């Protein structure tokens, strides 16, 4: 098996885990607050990340000299998770996933004022095309720009800020430290809300909370492997298989079928993302937000 094929397979598995975790979060969101879902996802993820760090070089990989940076990233990512889970509960799964794909465009545009980078004209054109796609999906003139769409756009914005801080400080911090603290802070912040939002899980809901955390860490692992096995320009486009999984899962569990405008807008968003990916191969930081 070639390394490129291993990369593609790893990316597809990671994206499938993301989509399945999103579907579980949407299901849990029918009866539980986004803060409670965030708490359990982080609670499950933390020991798994620590275990992976231990076998990947020892727990010293979690040490840091920049606690303030991790605190800032954790607060920002708390916004990502909260808005993303809220959006999942308010929108059809496929539509929510399509809007979330705007995150790479925000990364591209925000990298200019925040990182001092320049945007090449082809990338700027691709970004504008992607925003046109998002407008088509949410159709504000048709009254569709409601709380769900706004929540997903906010999640994409917060996720872009998380990725930009990773680009700025990632070379000076270990990967496992970045992942650990970006999960620790949301857990601590969401824990402060449990007194007001707590709903005791029933039956399979406990398994759902456990699975959502495990799937999130599994997705990170496989996506990381994908970019190690294959060039970004080969692996990154398979991120968009998430939309197919979202359509299937949304139809299977909730009977949701996206209309023609969601498909048209999604196609434009995907084209713009592929355009950016092939123009700039540093796409490991330019991904959609994940709960």
């Amino acid at each position: 098996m070639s390394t490129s094929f291993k990369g593609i397979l790893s990316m597809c598995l990671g994206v499938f885990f993301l989509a399945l975790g999103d579907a579980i979060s949407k299901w849990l969101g029918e009866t539980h607050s986004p803060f409670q879902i965030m708490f359990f996802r982080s609670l499950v993820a933390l020991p798994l990340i620590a275990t992976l760090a231990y076998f990947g070089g020892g727990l010293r990989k979690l040490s840091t000299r920049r606690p303030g940076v991790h605190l800032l990233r954790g607060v920002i990512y708390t916004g990502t998770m909260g808005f993303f889970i809220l959006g999942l509960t308010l929108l059809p799964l496929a539509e929510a996933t399509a809007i979330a794909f705007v995150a790479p465009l925000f990364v591209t545009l925000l990298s200019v004022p925040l990182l001092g980078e320049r945007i090449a004209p082809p990338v700027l054109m691709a970004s504008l095309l992607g925003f046109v796609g998002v407008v088509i999906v949410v159709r504000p003139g048709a009254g569709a720009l409601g709380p769900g769409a706004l929540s997903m756009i906010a999640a994409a914005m917060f996720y872009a800020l998380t990725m930009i801080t990773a680009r700025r400080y990632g070379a000076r911090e270990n990967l496992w430290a970045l992942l650990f603290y970006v999960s620790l802070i949301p857990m601590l912040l969401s824990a402060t809300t449990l007194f007001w939002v707590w709903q005791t899980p029933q039956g399979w809901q406990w398994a759902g909370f456990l699975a959502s955390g495990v799937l999130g860490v599994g997705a990170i692992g496989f996506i990381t492997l994908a970019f190690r096995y294959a060039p970004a320009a080969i692996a990154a486009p398979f991120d968009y298989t998430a939309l197919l999984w979202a359509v299937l899962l949304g139809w299977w569990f909730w009977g949701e079928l996206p209309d023609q405008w969601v498909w048209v807008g999604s196609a434009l968003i995907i084209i713009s993302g592929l355009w950016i990916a092939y123009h700039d191969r540093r796409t490991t930081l330019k991904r959609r937000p994940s709960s």
Side-chain angles (χ1 to χ4, degrees):
M1 183 184 298
S2 68
T3 56
S4 291
F5 185 78
K6 289 180 181 179
I8 292 171
L9 182 60
S10 296
M11 175 62 80
C12 290
L13 284 173
V15 169
F16 172 68
F17 284 176
L18 282 178
L20 191 56
D22 291 347
I24 292 174
S25 294
K26 179 177 175 64
W27 169 61
L28 291 171
E30 295 173 358
T31 52
H32 294 82
S33 164
F35 293 107
Q36 188 172 347
I37 298 172
M38 186 191 312
F39 173 78
F40 276 107
R41 288 191 68 120
S42 302
L43 182 66
V44 172
L46 278 173
L48 295 177
I49 294 172
T51 301
L52 291 172
Y54 175 78
F55 287 105
L59 292 180
R60 65 179 182 278
K61 297 290 186 180
L62 302 182
S63 63
T64 178
R65 295 181 179 179
R66 298 178 177 84
V69 170
H70 293 290
L71 176 61
L72 174 62
R73 297 187 72 248
V75 171
I76 294 173
Y77 195 64
T78 299
T80 303
M81 294 182 70
F83 281 116
F84 188 84
I85 296 171
L86 178 62
L88 286 175
T89 64
L90 297 175
L91 290 174
L93 190 58
E95 186 174 337
T97 301
I99 297 173
F101 278 131
V102 77
L105 312 182
F106 282 137
V107 172
T108 299
L109 296 178
L110 291 176
S111 65
V112 176
L114 298 182
L115 296 178
E117 297 183 356
R118 298 179 60 185
I119 301 180
V123 174
L124 179 59
M125 292 176 61
S127 300
L128 294 176
L129 179 65
F131 279 115
V132 170
V134 172
V135 170
I136 291 175
V137 171
V138 301
R139 299 187 300 283
L145 190 60
L150 291 175
S151 294
M152 295 308 296
I153 292 173
M157 177 70 78
F158 275 103
Y159 190 81
L161 292 173
T162 305
M163 294 300 97
I164 286 176
T165 56
R167 175 182 288 178
R168 187 180 185 94
Y169 301 104
R172 290 171 282 176
E173 289 289 314
N174 187 272
L175 170 64
W176 297 117
L178 289 171
L179 294 177
F180 184 82
Y181 294 109
V182 87
S183 298
L184 175 64
I185 302 303
M187 187 194 74
L188 296 177
L189 291 177
S190 59
T192 63
T193 70
L194 293 181
F195 178 80
W196 294 276
V197 304
W198 178 265
Q199 293 289 332
T200 302
Q202 304 295 322
W204 283 102
Q205 291 174 344
W206 285 110
F209 280 114
L210 176 62
S212 63
V214 173
L215 287 168
V217 176
I220 291 172
F222 278 113
I223 291 171
T224 301
L225 284 176
F227 286 105
R228 288 183 179 178
Y229 282 131
I234 293 177
F238 288 89
D239 185 21
Y240 294 104
T241 57
L243 185 59
L244 299 178
W245 289 118
V247 171
L248 290 174
L249 292 169
W251 167 72
W252 192 359
F253 290 108
W254 292 280
E256 301 169 349
L257 286 175
D259 61 24
Q260 60 181 352
W261 295 113
V262 173
W263 286 112
V264 171
S266 299
L268 294 179
I269 295 170
I270 291 172
I271 291 171
S272 71
L274 294 177
W275 193 344
I276 292 172
Y278 279 103
H279 188 273
D280 182 356
R281 301 214 173 182
R282 294 174 300 172
T283 52
T284 53
L285 298 179
K286 294 183 176 182
R287 301 188 48 75
R288 70 186 182 92
S290 166
S291 62

